[in-house]
Amino acid sequence: MYDTSLWLGGKEFKSRLIVGTGKYPSFESMREALEASGAEIVTVAVRRVNLPGQGESLLDFIDTKRYTLLPNTAGCYTADEAIRTCYLAREAGLGTLVKLEVIGDSRTLFPDVEGLLEATRRLAREGFSVLPYTNDDPVTCKKLEDAGAAAVMPLGAPIGSGLGIRNPYNIKLILEAVTVPVIVDAGVGTASDAAIAMELGCDGVLMNTAIASAKDPVAMATAMKLAVEAGRLAFKAGRIGKKLYATASSPIEGVPDWSTS
């Protein structure tokens, strides 16, 4: 079945799975999981990356010729803080494609929408391709698109919760509201969650904890790869409509009634 590629920051990607690099038992298991996932984009928390000369770094275990790095502003609680972090990422050679987080609450890790909009607007003006992590709110997502976001990344559930897609109807409304790619970010717990996101019509899924904290990260990475591919294929194929009553899979119209013969 014909399909298009995912375009972000002016680059074409075949895989629609984006994988994080935190929480793994070891750098080696991270490397193996990244390979098993088939992902082409991997996120790195700028604040947790050791620069050259500062000791062992997770970047030593990522083939930057194979993967596109997506620096993120994890741990930033103000627009200014997030913007400075993006500038630092650019100066460190990590590029201008950034995942923007401006956190508003330390317990839920829900975003600060006001700060997120301000940072998106300013970074977009500076030439960054901004992928903001946001609430599953179609109004906010539309405002982020208008502010210059290259994609919107609504949460499926709170970060690291593993609760899956809590508001699928909100995700569908977001898909109707914006024209930029929609990538579900946060809350995925297992492969079926990723498949659901893709079946809804999302352009991609970003996850970290679901793979990194699984009992077998490499096996889960493989499962997530297959789930994203299957969900995308199901969306493109077009599911049947839901009905209250049964519909026979073997129609009886035109079949002789042998009971009367």
Side-chain angles (χ1 to χ4, degrees):
M1 179 179 292
Y2 175 77
D3 196 5
T4 56
S5 300
L6 175 63
W7 286 84
L8 293 171
K11 294 183 66 175
E12 180 181 16
F13 301 97
K14 300 297 183 183
S15 173
R16 293 175 179 272
L17 174 61
I18 303 173
V19 180
T21 53
K23 298 185 178 181
Y24 286 90
S26 66
F27 284 144
E28 187 57 42
S29 68
M30 176 199 72
R31 177 161 57 188
E32 293 176 2
L34 292 183
E35 183 174 353
S37 74
E40 297 171 90
I41 305 174
V42 296
T43 67
V44 292
V46 178
R47 292 181 161 202
R48 301 189 185 110
V49 174
N50 287 336
L51 297 177
Q54 295 182 332
E56 188 177 54
S57 169
L58 67 84
L59 293 181
D60 298 330
F61 294 82
I62 300 175
D63 183 354
T64 54
K65 294 181 180 179
R66 177 176 180 179
Y67 301 106
T68 294
L69 297 182
L70 178 63
N72 71 60
T73 62
C76 293
Y77 283 79
T78 67
D80 286 340
E81 194 177 16
I83 291 167
R84 283 196 302 270
T85 302
C86 290
Y87 287 158
L88 177 63
R90 184 173 62 183
E91 293 302 314
L94 299 181
T96 56
L97 179 65
V98 294
K99 176 190 170 185
L100 179 64
E101 296 183 26
V102 181
I103 302 300
D105 177 70
S106 60
R107 186 169 63 90
T108 63
L109 299 182
F110 285 157
D112 176 343
V113 173
E114 184 177 352
L116 189 65
L117 284 165
E118 178 186 350
T120 298
R121 195 173 293 111
R122 289 167 58 183
L123 287 168
R125 285 200 301 262
E126 292 291 327
F128 285 87
S129 294
V130 186
L131 281 57
Y133 155 73
T134 184
N135 295 315
D136 55 347
D137 173 16
V139 175
T140 298
C141 287
K142 180 58 180 171
K143 288 184 177 181
L144 287 167
E145 179 182 31
D146 293 342
V152 291
M153 307 181 81
L155 56 84
I159 293 174
S161 67
L163 290 172
I165 311 300
R166 295 294 84 198
N167 294 297
Y169 297 104
N170 280 24
I171 300 297
K172 293 188 74 170
L173 289 172
I174 291 169
L175 288 162
E176 292 178 4
V178 303
T179 59
V180 294
V182 176
I183 301 170
V184 165
D185 176 16
V188 170
T190 191
S192 58
D193 300 329
I196 288 171
M198 298 306 296
E199 288 171 7
L200 289 170
C202 292
D203 297 278
V205 183
L206 189 154
M207 64 185 72
N208 186 169
T209 306
I211 294 176
S213 296
K215 291 182 180 179
D216 186 336
V218 177
M220 185 60 81
T222 303
M224 292 300 188
K225 172 187 175 181
L226 296 174
V228 168
E229 292 174 352
R232 177 67 178 179
L233 186 58
F235 169 72
K236 294 291 290 184
R239 65 156 291 144
I240 64 170
K242 296 181 179 181
K243 301 175 182 178
L244 181 61
Y245 298 105
T247 301
S249 57
S250 299
I252 60 173
E253 290 82 0
V255 176
D257 184 0
W258 297 108
S259 64
T260 60
S261 61

